[in-house]
Amino acid sequence: MCGIVGYLGSQEVVPLLLDGLRRLEYRGYDSAGIAVLENGNLETVRAEGKLDQLVEKLAGQTIPASYGLGHTRWATHGEPSERNAHPMVDSQGRVAVIHNGIIENFLELKQRLLDAGWTFDSDTDTEVAANLISHYLDGDLKTAVTRAASELQGMYALAVVSTVGDREIVVTRQGPPLVIGVGQDEQFLASDPAALLAHTKDVIFLENRDVGRLTPERIEIWDADGEPVERPVVRLNWDPIQAEKGGYKHFMLKEIQEQPLAVQETFAGRVDFGHGRITLEELNLTEEEARGIAKIDILACGTSWHAGLVGKFLIQRLADVPVEVDYGSEFRYRDPIVGPNDVAVGISQSGETADTLSALEAAAERGARLLSICNVPGSQIVRLTDGVIYTHAGPEIGVASTKAFTSQLVALYLLALHLRQLRGLEIEPEMLQDLAHLPAAVDEVLELEPEIEQLARVYSRASDFLFLGRGINYPIALEGALKLKEISYIHAEGYPAGEMKHGPIALIDEDLPIVAIATGERVFEKVRSNMQEAKARDGIVIALTDRDPKEFDGIAEEVIRVPRVSEELQPIVNVVPLQLLAYHVGVKRGCDVDQPRNLAKSVTVE
């Protein structure tokens, strides 16, 4: 989950590296560092803490160099400290390495290197890689990296520079992503395309066990067998301004506000509203294949798992296909029953979520067809699966997912309708009418921000929250609780409202805010009854509803009224005020809402 950047060309490298690290700091902020070279001289600067600590350390220094590496760290091996910060340099001072991932056999390799006379100054597995590469270095860095990588067990992305040999950066990966940015007589490197957008939109995604050599004039790549290969150049259609705050105080608020556009972009060009047709060409699914599906397994983690739970309601209701939803981190450890007539759908904003990728691989081993929902073209999940629905949300920099989640819900709705269509069922006009209206409905919810900010002011001192929902809105209760936990560090739980009597009701007292989602027709009266039970026990009830607030007189202290859309699309509308609530509570409590403690944007290790 660490951030990796690199540059090789004629520009001054330090400002480029710091700019790239600033765009990647959401991936890790325990420490940061750079390593730069010029005329065979290697210089490293590292600092504990956020990137500003490194910037302050570099202030006033002039470091003339035109190539090097930068890193922002999310600690796995060794406590966050300057001595454990990357880049790591070998004990002979010839090689500098930055690394994302976990080298599982590092203790065995470390002992072997100690026996051979190499010394260590850190607690990291990365320093083992640096010494191992230097151990094999005899003039050709690419050969040394290849030999060292063949002995590494685990998941890693490595970028290496050396004082020995040519002016070059050598890279390799197994698991975590590495992206090369293609320039004119200059090359860029990053662990996320967002760090490259200001410089180039042409990128190359490395495959597992690829080894790449970057020089200013060319890019060379070898595959796992050591054979030269050409990986495709992918053009990203993201605007660099999308990766900036654009006047907002935080990325999270900017991305919440971008949701009407993200929702529209996700269904744009895919829906023929006049003829009631859905077109998902990149899904690569025929009518015969769709009609032969016995079961769908949705595999995801975190917020994407909540999207999958909504997707289960949508697909079963609209396409009449059985659906199971699994955490990617649990799926492959429970001997899942998956066969050749099943489809596994992986959901990942980044396309690089390690647990989701591993779960998909386990499903593939059992014969399942693989599909994905993803926001990043060319990412690992896209390359692994047989078909994809891109969410077109643009870069999401805030660690807590917002617009990626609502875009995933739109993609799942399109998937459900597409399966319905392929399986010979009619798409009725009302199924598309509210989809066309959805961006406007989300925009209408965003106008409630002042009201929700006031609620946050009142309830930001609470120590616990309870979120309740039923049916298709139960996952939204889970997501509301998760957002509040992530952003404000308040303990929060999401529950099916009907389960409240089976335990959680014991927690209710006069200090507990209870957010109840009471929209639609199907279970409205049930939810209102649950709210009355909470109120009878002195709970502080906050109703989120599409009804007249008067219907909650005597039941709810607060009412958030949202526009009504179809039951299948209502979760997309309902989650937005919960995102705003979490954001404003976090701000009131003085939390770093863009970079919550202990979290990183892309979980690229198990």
Side-chain angles (χ1 to χ4, degrees), residues 30 73-81 83-84 106 122-125:
D30 294 329
R73 181 172 185 249
W74 188 78
T76 54
H77 289 71
E79 65 181 7
S81 64
R83 74 186 188 91
N84 287 329
F106 85 104
S122 79
D123 305 314
T124 68
D125 52 348

Side-chain angles (χ1 to χ4, degrees), residues 307-328:
L309 292 176
V310 176
K312 175 176 181 173
F313 282 91
L314 296 174
I315 294 169
Q316 291 191 161
R317 184 176 298 172
L318 297 174
D320 197 28
V321 180
V323 179
E324 293 185 8
V325 185
D326 254 301
Y327 284 114

Side-chain angles (χ1 to χ4, degrees), residues 250 460 487-489 583-593:
H250 298 101
S460 61
I487 299 307
S488 69
Y489 315 143
Y583 169 78
H584 283 292
V585 169
V587 170
K588 300 300 179 197
R589 291 168 66 92
C591 301
D592 189 341
V593 296

Side-chain angles (χ1 to χ4, degrees), residues 295-301 303-316 321-331 334 338 342-348 356 359-360 363 369 371-373 381 408-409 411-413 415-416 419:
K295 174 172 61 74
I296 292 176
D297 289 279
I298 296 179
L299 308 172
C301 300
T303 286
S304 295
W305 183 74
H306 296 159
L309 292 176
V310 176
K312 175 176 181 173
F313 282 91
L314 296 174
I315 294 169
Q316 291 191 161
V321 180
V323 179
E324 293 185 8
V325 185
D326 254 301
Y327 284 114
S329 56
E330 292 291 328
F331 180 77
R334 65 168 183 82
V338 181
D342 296 334
V343 170
V345 180
I347 308 176
S348 169
T356 303
L360 285 170
R369 181 182 183 85
L371 304 176
S372 59
I373 294 173
I381 200 170
Q408 288 169 353
L409 296 185
L412 285 161
Y413 187 67
L415 174 60
L419 289 171

